[in-house]
Amino acid sequence: MAKQYDVLFRLLLLGDSGVGKTCLLCRFTDNEFHPSHISTIGVDFKMKTLEIDGIKVRIQIWDTAGQERYQTITKQYYRRAQGIFLVYDITSERSFQHIMKWASDVDEYAPDKVQKILVGNKSDEEQKRQVATAQGNKLAKAYGMDFFETSAFTNHNITESFTRLAELVLQANKKDLDVLRVSINDKLNLAALEEEEGVCDSSSDAQKTCWC
Amino acid sequence: MVPPFSLKECEARAGPGTGPHPRQPMRRKNLEFEPLSTTALILEDRPANLPAKSEEEAQRHRQEYNEMVAGAKRREMKEAQLLVHLICPTCRPFRQRNTRRVRELWWQGLPPSVRGKVWSLAIGNELNITPELYEIFLSRAKEKWRSFNETSSVSENEDCGASLADRESSLDLIKLDIFRTFPSLYIFQKGGPYHDLLHSVLGAYTCYRPDVGYVQGMSFIAAVLILNLEEADAFIAFANLLNKPCQMAFFRVDHDLMLKYFAAFEVFFEENLPKLFQHFQNNSLTPDFYLIDWIFTLYSKSLPLDVACRVWDLFCRDGEEALFRTGLGILRLYQDVLLQMDFIHSAQFLSRLPENTPAHTLFTCIANTQMLSNNRRWNQVKTDCTRVLLAY
């Protein structure tokens, strides 16, 4: 079976319930927006393939339930992520304050190498805004993260933020990437890389191109 | 020609009551049973290109037809009454009433007209909640909503750590989730006929059990009950249902207990579907990825609503074991597809099962699922799993 991508990694969407994680994701993967989306219980999945610097990047996005009660469950998934979106809603001060809690959980449970970006969603709802762009910027800076204000509704900054996090993850795994670059120039090695995503999942340590 | 009638068909005909069409906001006041099968399209006369029936023949056919309808009506009534009668609380104890005949009828799916009643009785009311008690908690909830609305602007700026769980368990989240409950039905959304009802039942529950509070997934359970029961009865069934050990374990997110359930599930999974079990193992697809959604919403989110209601019928008949057996039935039904899929595709597939998942094939798969492992039944396996987990 021909391989449809060169590398595979997992991104995780975190943030309070109702900030629009599922909507961001639907906009990104299907270019759709549903104002009344069914709530996420546990974890949901989507995937998309991007091309970055000539490399086909397959990203699995894990969309988690936002309610605090569920964090006992969702924390189990942090360690499997290479990139994390911390999402708040610019019309909810509370969701912004909770970013600190989310970030400290990520520090505790996610791998050290994990890449994070801060996302303030619902930027189209300017009249209801409770969190200034400057506040978002400041917090992102304090954490050393990139920052995007997005709108799943108007499709503002969606592709940009997802692509940015994917790039960061690629960069952070530069060493593995170089191995891949060599292999891309080498038809024989490339053939050797043609394995199923599933196999990749189960024998992650052995696969240099899959940082599971 | 009128086809023979069965409960199954009766349910299929009455499908829209629980199916993907909003029913008018009508409430079942009692258990009067109205057969739904008398409206079949009957060709009374022969087509014009054929010689007409003689008056005598036509008369005879009409009479035969009426007899068939009456017979079908009687049969439907009898079956429905049998179900209701046999589980009515003033009759014999439940176990004695749960005869083979009843269990068979029950398996085929409860007629929608008695479904709510049967669920209520099967779930029971161990908590002894009265409609009056519901009213009390509802008025408390309304009080809280009022004061919350008045003070929300102040509390918004307070600390975000300590009282987080409190606030969450309450009001915002319920509000947020109501319009995300069966959004395609358009009846729980703002302005929809069941919006306020769902709000009330969930609000009253958070006042009744502040230690549990509102947990996402509950809105689906309450919604399904509201579709089948009167408001107070829906609340009573809701509270008692959530009080069952399995539901308590999940809604309190008692992780150790949940692991115990998953482990027991895996024992039967391996027993029933060894090939798929191995495939999932190879792909690191553990049961939490799909069971959480299924158990938290009692399948009402991932299965078509009419199929989910039949799963609820089974759950009411057989208890928590039925939930895990259903899960295995789903895996069996889609085994061939799943064997071709990797981790992410399987996980996606299982959280959103095909909309045309047919009830009868699913139930055949459930029937073919043996809940027996080394002569141990579900409860025994669960207990043994605890020992294993504790040993770690």
Side-chain angles (χ1 to χ4, degrees), chain A residues 2-11 47-61 82 163 165-184 190 193-198 200-201 204 207-212, chain B residues 342 344:
Chain A
K3 197 169 170 63
Q4 289 154 5
Y5 56 89
D6 302 314
V7 293
L8 162 78
F9 53 71
R10 300 196 182 95
L11 306 181
M47 66 200 122
K48 182 154 172 154
T49 308
L50 295 176
E51 197 165 317
I52 299 172
D53 293 340
I55 298 172
K56 280 199 190 115
V57 182
R58 162 71 64 98
I59 52 180
Q60 283 182 6
I61 307 144
Q82 287 87 45
T163 310
L165 186 56
E167 282 169 359
L168 287 169
V169 173
L170 275 176
Q171 274 169 26
N173 295 273
K174 190 82 168 55
K175 220 178 89 196
D176 300 316
L177 187 65
D178 288 339
V179 174
L180 181 74
R181 281 193 195 286
V182 173
S183 65
I184 277 176
L190 182 62
L193 284 167
E194 290 188 4
E195 79 287 292
E196 285 297 305
E197 190 175 328
C200 195
D201 269 335
S204 53
Q207 300 297 334
K208 290 214 157 100
T209 55
C210 173
W211 310 308
C212 307
Chain B
D342 59 18
I344 193 84

Side-chain angles (χ1 to χ4, degrees), chain A residues 17 67 69-70 77 98 202, chain B residues 164 212 214 216 251 282 288:
Chain A
S17 200
Q67 190 180 11
R69 188 75 61 94
Y70 277 100
Y77 305 138
H98 287 177
S202 59
Chain B
L164 192 121
V212 180
Y214 172 73
Q216 290 187 306
F251 279 106
N282 294 343
D288 50 315

Side-chain angles (χ1 to χ4, degrees), chain B residues 137-156:
Chain B
F137 284 113
L138 179 57
S139 57
R140 276 192 206 166
K142 285 182 172 161
E143 194 57 44
K144 265 175 95 178
W145 287 325
R146 255 195 304 281
S147 63
F148 182 77
N149 284 338
E150 284 158 14
T151 58
S152 62
S153 52
V154 185
S155 63
E156 288 268 280

Side-chain angles (χ1 to χ4, degrees), chain A residues 13-76:
Chain A
L13 282 157
L14 298 180
D16 278 10
S17 200
V19 298
K21 298 179 292 294
T22 305
C23 287
L24 283 175
L25 188 51
C26 278
R27 177 59 89 180
F28 176 61
T29 57
D30 308 321
N31 199 18
E32 283 173 0
F33 180 79
H34 310 281
S36 60
H37 208 285
I38 202 158
S39 20
T40 309
I41 313 289
V43 59
D44 218 334
F45 309 91
K46 292 255 183 198
M47 66 200 122
K48 182 154 172 154
T49 308
L50 295 176
E51 197 165 317
I52 299 172
D53 293 340
I55 298 172
K56 280 199 190 115
V57 182
R58 162 71 64 98
I59 52 180
Q60 283 182 6
I61 307 144
W62 294 31
D63 178 18
T64 61
Q67 190 180 11
E68 204 202 5
R69 188 75 61 94
Y70 277 100
Q71 285 172 35
T72 328
I73 300 164
T74 50
K75 273 174 192 164
Q76 319 286 323

Side-chain angles (χ1 to χ4, degrees), chain B residues 274-323:
Chain B
K275 221 169 132 192
L276 188 64
F277 178 78
Q278 197 52 51
H279 179 69
F280 277 15
Q281 290 249 305
N282 294 343
N283 284 293
S284 310
L285 182 59
T286 44
D288 50 315
F289 285 108
Y290 45 93
L291 276 186
I292 283 178
D293 183 284
W294 291 353
I295 303 296
F296 268 96
T297 63
L298 298 179
Y299 295 94
S300 58
K301 186 170 160 246
S302 40
L303 283 176
L305 197 46
D306 54 334
V307 183
C309 281
R310 280 198 59 190
V311 172
W312 281 49
D313 292 345
L314 195 59
F315 169 57
C316 286
R317 195 190 76 166
D318 295 352
E320 65 180 37
E321 179 185 312
L323 297 177

